[in-house]
Amino acid sequence: MWDVTAQQQLTGKAFMTTPTNWRRIGHIIADEIYKRITGEQGYFDSRIVYISETGPYDHRIKRLAIMDQDGENHHFLTDGDTLVLTPRFSPTEQQITYMAYYHNKPRVYLYDIDSGRQEKLGDFPGMTFAPRFSPDGNKVVMSLSKNGNSDVYTMDLRNHGVSQLTHDNSINTSPSYSPDGKYITFESDRSGVPEIYVMNSDGSGAHRITFSEGHYSSPVWSPRGDLIAFTRFYQNQFYIGVIHPDGHGERLITQGYDVEGPTWAPNGRVLAYFKELPTGWNKTGRSAQLYTIDLTGFNEMKVNTPLDASDPAWSPLNP
């Protein structure tokens, strides 16, 4: 890589691989260029898992699917026989945690990408939102609904022990760990409408960080630790935005009829999400597609998928 102005080499590396692996090498080279120019880690050598959807609005067939972050090397992980929801990558292993409805009962599964092996973590009647891994990969944090009340719980993956973190007579959902594992952000309507809160990882010190009008949901902590992405519904529009963990600097970066499900690229500079639009002459159908956008709010790009797509989750860099 040569700087033509300074007349000097910026970096030089050589890679060798089999011909069938040329796309992977291309992504690794792109990451090297990105890092040398920006000084930050790249994100090109990564993958996205998402929910592939087909069929009528009232009877959607949903399958887990995975692809490179640019939409290539696409393949399905499940066959569509059971309803699957909210996949999330492990930060330490090539594993995905997700929800599936087996005989109309919600279950949490672990899926090993390399082997294709699935492991049931447990049956959780009434679970409302996706399980997410802790930064060390040893725990899963999730929302469980018991006796008409939803609270945040953790499960230790080593012994399957479950601990309750919130004890509040409201809906507490959508938890997400900070990258250092010290804090959890979550959504709660304890103030009357859904807002974003932050608490210590043991459940103590919960405090609200959003105070603008509208409803906030789906908070997810940046891998850099500096921002929390969210969905906001305000004046009949959906927005994807970011906010600092202390509650200052809220910024909306994209909007639409329905934009939801933000997920961070491994370098914390790009977000993926899905857009949903009504279809058909009577607007009772739906079409959902994946998009990525730079943290600045520019360079929005559609990610091509074979079928409709929703609820993306971005992987760490490939090992």
Side-chain angles (χ1 to χ4, degrees), residues 56 150 171-172 196 227-228 243 252 269 292 305 314:
S150 295
I171 299 174
N172 303 282
I196 296 174
L227 292 169
I228 295 171
I243 190 170
L252 303 177
R269 288 292 309 175
T292 62
T305 54
W314 215 314

Side-chain angles (χ1 to χ4, degrees), residues 47-50 87-89 132 218-223 229-231 240-241 253 260-266 268-274 290-293 310-316:
R47 294 183 285 185
I48 291 176
V49 64
Y50 72 97
R88 301 291 182 258
F89 266 100
R132 288 185 185 271
S218 308
V220 55
W221 220 301
S222 164
F230 58 83
T231 299
I240 300 292
I253 61 176
E260 295 186 70
T263 180
W264 292 94
R269 288 292 309 175
V270 179
L271 284 164
Y273 51 93
F274 71 95
L290 302 187
Y291 289 80
T292 62
I293 194 168
S310 64
D311 211 357
W314 215 314
S315 77

Side-chain angles (χ1 to χ4, degrees), residues 117-195:
R117 185 174 64 89
Q118 296 183 73
E119 175 188 353
K120 185 184 75 170
L121 293 183
D123 296 306
F124 300 102
M127 194 173 77
T128 55
F129 273 91
R132 288 185 185 271
F133 286 97
S134 61
D136 61 9
N138 291 329
K139 293 182 179 180
V140 166
V141 65
M142 53 194 171
S143 172
L144 299 180
S145 179
K146 294 183 178 181
N147 301 318
N149 191 63
S150 295
D151 277 300
V152 176
Y153 293 74
T154 59
M155 170 183 276
D156 192 311
L157 296 179
R158 294 162 294 189
N159 57 26
H160 288 199
V162 176
S163 300
Q164 184 174 349
L165 298 184
T166 61
H167 302 78
D168 186 83
N169 293 325
S170 57
I171 299 174
N172 303 282
T173 64
S174 199
S176 172
Y177 275 100
S178 63
D180 60 9
K182 294 181 178 179
Y183 305 99
I184 292 173
T185 182
F186 64 102
E187 169 194 342
S188 177
D189 66 353
R190 63 185 66 182
S191 66
V193 296
E195 302 283 358

Side-chain angles (χ1 to χ4, degrees), residues 298-309:
F298 293 96
N299 197 32
E300 182 183 60
M301 294 189 295
K302 181 181 176 183
V303 182
N304 291 321
T305 54
L307 303 169
D308 280 4

Side-chain angles (χ1 to χ4, degrees), residues 6-7 21 36 38 72 79 85 98 129 140 158 161 173 195 200 207 209 212 217 222 226 234 238 250 282 300 307 318:
Q7 289 294 296
N21 203 36
R36 185 61 185 85
T38 68
E72 297 293 331
D79 57 15
L85 300 169
Y98 67 97
F129 273 91
V140 166
R158 294 162 294 189
T173 64
E195 302 283 358
N200 298 321
H207 59 281
I209 66 169
S212 299
S217 62
S222 164
D226 58 338
Y234 175 60
F238 281 87
E250 178 180 335
N282 56 356
E300 182 183 60
L307 303 169
N318 291 324

